Amino acid sequence: MARIAVIGAGMGAMAAAARLAVAGHRVTVYERSGTYGGSVGRYAQDGFAFDTGPSLLHLPAVYRDLFVKTGKEPLERCVTMTQVDPASRHLFADGTAVSLPNASRAGVVAALDGALGAGAGSSWGEFLDRARDAWDRSRRPLLEEPLRADWQVLGRDPYPALRRRRMLRAARQADTVAEVGAWELTDPRLTALLEGYALSYGLDPVRAPASAALLPYMEETFGSWYVAGGIRALAQAVYERCLARKVEFVFGAEVARVVEKDGRASGVELADGTVAGADHVVLGAWPRPGLVPGQGLWQDGDVTAQPRPADGATVPGRFQVLLSLSGARPTGTVHRTVVHGADGAAEREAVFGGRLAERPTVTVIRPDDPSTRPDDAHEAVTVTATVAPQGAVDWTDAALRERYADTLIEAAGAAVPGIRERLLHAEVRTPARTAVDTGAEGGSVPAPALAGARGAYLHPGNRTRLPGLYLAGGWSHPGGGLAHAGMSGTLVAGLIVEGDGFRGSQ
């Protein structure tokens, strides 16, 4: 039985802890804050409750596997999950609206044809076929197995872009999300749909490789799931599974550094000077400078040189407005509505250039869940936009926060008629708050790993240069998002239990 020290109690860290405990190891989790879940938080006031992180679960198979492998109770006995249908409603700048059914390719094609005109659905469907090819080619190395030593092969984009003929010039293929939208989808509303997916994951469509097409494929193929009580209920279920497997949690315990002895990780030193020995250390939090001695994790020229895109792009955060509304949630209300901005290019330039977008794309979440409201005469609504991180924009400026919250509320009015008249209270969450809650620099939120772009969108591998030290969570392979973070825990546990020969699930 080995002693395992886990830094952070985020979803990837807890997934690793539960699996390692089941394997017979003694696991202790050190969390700087007073609770578990990392970015999967919950805010409650006056009977209203809101998720402050992800609101929907995609690829639930990752957490089903976690619960099957760590105990007799399957996931569905621990939380109640339902597929939201329609999966999303989209309001475009020209006034067009379309609702996309959940996990139904034929339904999506029909809906797009009906709303955007004949041929729009087939164009999107053909795009998803190519996205499926990218998924099939990259699924294992990007999600199900540790980052390979010859990671450079993942620098090639797996998306089979169409060849675009050009007069008197060589044919070209789309290299980025923006080029896929412009050259393969042609309808500006389909382009906005694709770029909206990228933006929601914190990816700049102009920079992100074409392989980001697998993100809408993943959502539209495997579905969008709501957890009763919010995604925080999923975090609670994972935490309780850890406790049931005798994982020890120490909250309010900030790790100052990883202790090294004889060339390998040998424990952690807390901010109060306490040293806890360990045979292995799992870093499941933002890998801030100074946490690991010496070169430790990364060196120049390696994909693991820094936990952010290597092309120099900033990693954005999220701005949320949590709205307590009077009045009942109307029957038939869609769970998730995306109100697309009027100028996608201007929004991209603002978000990734460190400025405020004047007319941002916003996602409006309206769950049909009694636990989110004091009674049926009220409604809890969350409005979210992707924004520049703290530092690029000073989100500690109260006047700026108030102005931008008003901008988001104005945009959300397209999805929630009479929103201002119904408003009782608005709680604002910014990247500055995310930085405090999670420790992530600037309150940035990591995106999923992607192939292509010469490896610029890969994340640090789960193994590090310091023997005995492993990385889990959204800032490591396979990147951000609930499913990806959960899989990072699977990979770390496999590497510790089975050794360097572990190659992931078969």
Side-chain angles (χ1 to χ4, degrees):
M1 178 175 68
R3 298 169 301 165
I4 312 290
V6 178
I7 304 173
M11 298 298 280
M14 290 197 296
R19 291 178 180 272
L20 288 166
V22 166
H25 299 300
R26 192 171 73 213
V27 184
T28 303
V29 177
Y30 299 92
E31 167 58 44
R32 62 192 289 273
S33 74
T35 189
Y36 54 85
S39 63
V40 181
R42 191 78 161 163
Y43 174 81
Q45 180 182 9
D46 299 332
F48 293 92
F50 309 84
D51 279 323
T52 59
S55 59
L56 292 170
L57 176 64
H58 307 293
L59 282 179
V62 172
Y63 287 92
R64 288 186 176 123
D65 183 73
L66 171 64
F67 277 73
V68 167
K69 299 292 176 55
T70 60
K72 296 180 180 179
E73 284 187 308
L75 177 61
E76 278 80 1
R77 286 189 187 175
C78 300
V79 297
T80 299
M81 298 196 311
T82 56
Q83 284 188 299
V84 297
D85 201 7
S88 58
R89 181 171 181 248
H90 295 265
L91 304 179
F92 298 104
D94 67 351
T96 306
V98 61
S99 292
L100 303 181
N102 201 338
S104 170
R105 173 73 63 85
V108 167
V109 168
L112 290 172
D113 275 340
L116 308 187
S122 59
S123 178
W124 185 258
E126 290 165 3
F127 156 73
L128 287 182
D129 285 340
R130 295 188 291 275
R132 179 189 59 203
D133 289 344
W135 169 260
D136 290 341
R137 295 174 184 178
S138 60
R139 175 177 57 86
R140 278 197 59 78
L142 280 178
L143 188 65
E144 296 179 351
E145 62 185 30
L147 188 65
R148 48 198 300 174
D150 59 340
W151 59 267
Q152 290 86 350
V153 300
L154 294 173
R156 295 192 293 269
D157 199 316
Y159 178 77
L162 299 178
R163 295 189 66 80
R164 181 172 179 256
R165 297 179 180 275
R166 301 186 300 171
M167 186 174 296
L168 303 180
R169 289 183 294 175
R172 275 202 61 187
Q173 292 175 282
D175 291 325
T176 67
V177 169
E179 290 176 344
V180 170
W183 300 350
E184 298 184 8
L185 296 177
T186 65
D187 188 307
R189 294 162 297 186
L190 292 181
T191 299
L193 179 61
L194 172 60
E195 293 190 356
Y197 275 109
L199 189 64
S200 71
Y201 282 95
L203 296 166
D204 182 354
V206 171
R207 292 172 177 260
S211 65
L214 62 83
L215 298 174
Y217 169 80
M218 195 169 60
E219 288 197 20
E220 294 188 15
T221 301
F222 302 108
S224 299
W225 298 75
Y226 178 72
V227 178
I231 293 296
R232 180 65 179 178
L234 176 63
Q236 180 178 344
V238 176
Y239 170 67
E240 291 176 350
R241 178 55 54 89
C242 286
L243 293 179
R245 298 301 166 260
K246 308 303 181 184
V247 174
E248 180 183 358
F249 285 80
V250 184
F251 294 107
E254 182 170 4
V255 173
R257 67 184 183 95
V258 174
V259 177
E260 179 184 358
K261 183 178 180 181
D262 298 329
R264 64 174 289 115
S266 62
V268 297
E269 180 181 340
L270 305 184
D272 65 4
T274 302
V275 175
D279 300 297
H280 303 281
V281 177
V282 177
L283 174 54
W286 167 264
R288 58 177 173 76
L291 186 62
V292 179
Q295 290 186 344
L297 300 180
W298 314 293
Q299 66 181 24
D300 291 342
D302 188 75
V303 68
T304 57
Q306 50 186 348
R308 60 179 67 236
D311 62 1
T314 60
V315 182
R318 305 288 185 266
F319 188 103
Q320 289 186 316
V321 188
L322 315 178
L323 302 175
S324 301
L325 304 182
S326 63
R329 179 183 188 272
T331 302
T333 294
V334 175
H335 183 102
R336 175 177 58 170
T337 299
V338 180
V339 182
H340 294 268
D343 188 338
E347 182 174 9
R348 294 193 303 265
E349 291 172 3
V351 171
F352 297 96
R355 303 187 305 278
L356 298 181
E358 293 183 4
R359 299 184 64 183
T361 296
V362 301
T363 299
V364 182
I365 300 296
R366 306 178 71 181
D368 186 11
D369 184 346
S371 72
T372 65
R373 54 187 184 254
D375 53 50
D376 288 342
H378 295 84
E379 183 181 7
V381 174
T382 301
V383 185
T384 304
T386 299
V387 296
Q390 171 62 26
V393 172
D394 183 10
W395 293 113
T396 65
D397 184 329
L400 183 147
R401 291 197 306 268
E402 185 175 345
R403 289 197 306 272
Y404 209 61
D406 190 69
T407 297
L408 264 65
I409 292 171
E410 180 69 23
V416 188
I419 190 170
R420 292 192 183 277
E421 292 76 15
R422 297 177 59 193
L423 183 59
L424 299 174
H425 177 75
E427 176 71 16
V428 177
R429 314 279 293 197
T430 73
R433 179 59 184 270
T434 302
V436 171
D437 289 346
T438 68
E441 183 180 18
S444 295
V445 178
L450 297 172
R454 297 175 297 282
Y457 288 82
L458 299 175
H459 289 259
N462 308 107
R463 265 187 306 260
T464 73
R465 298 188 180 282
L466 181 63
L469 176 63
Y470 300 85
L471 302 181
W475 294 106
S476 64
H477 179 74
L482 282 172
H484 293 71
M487 184 54 71
S488 76
T490 304
L491 299 177
V492 166
L495 287 168
I496 292 175
V497 173
E498 299 185 26
D500 290 345
F502 174 71
R503 297 309 304 160
S505 58
Q506 299 299 320

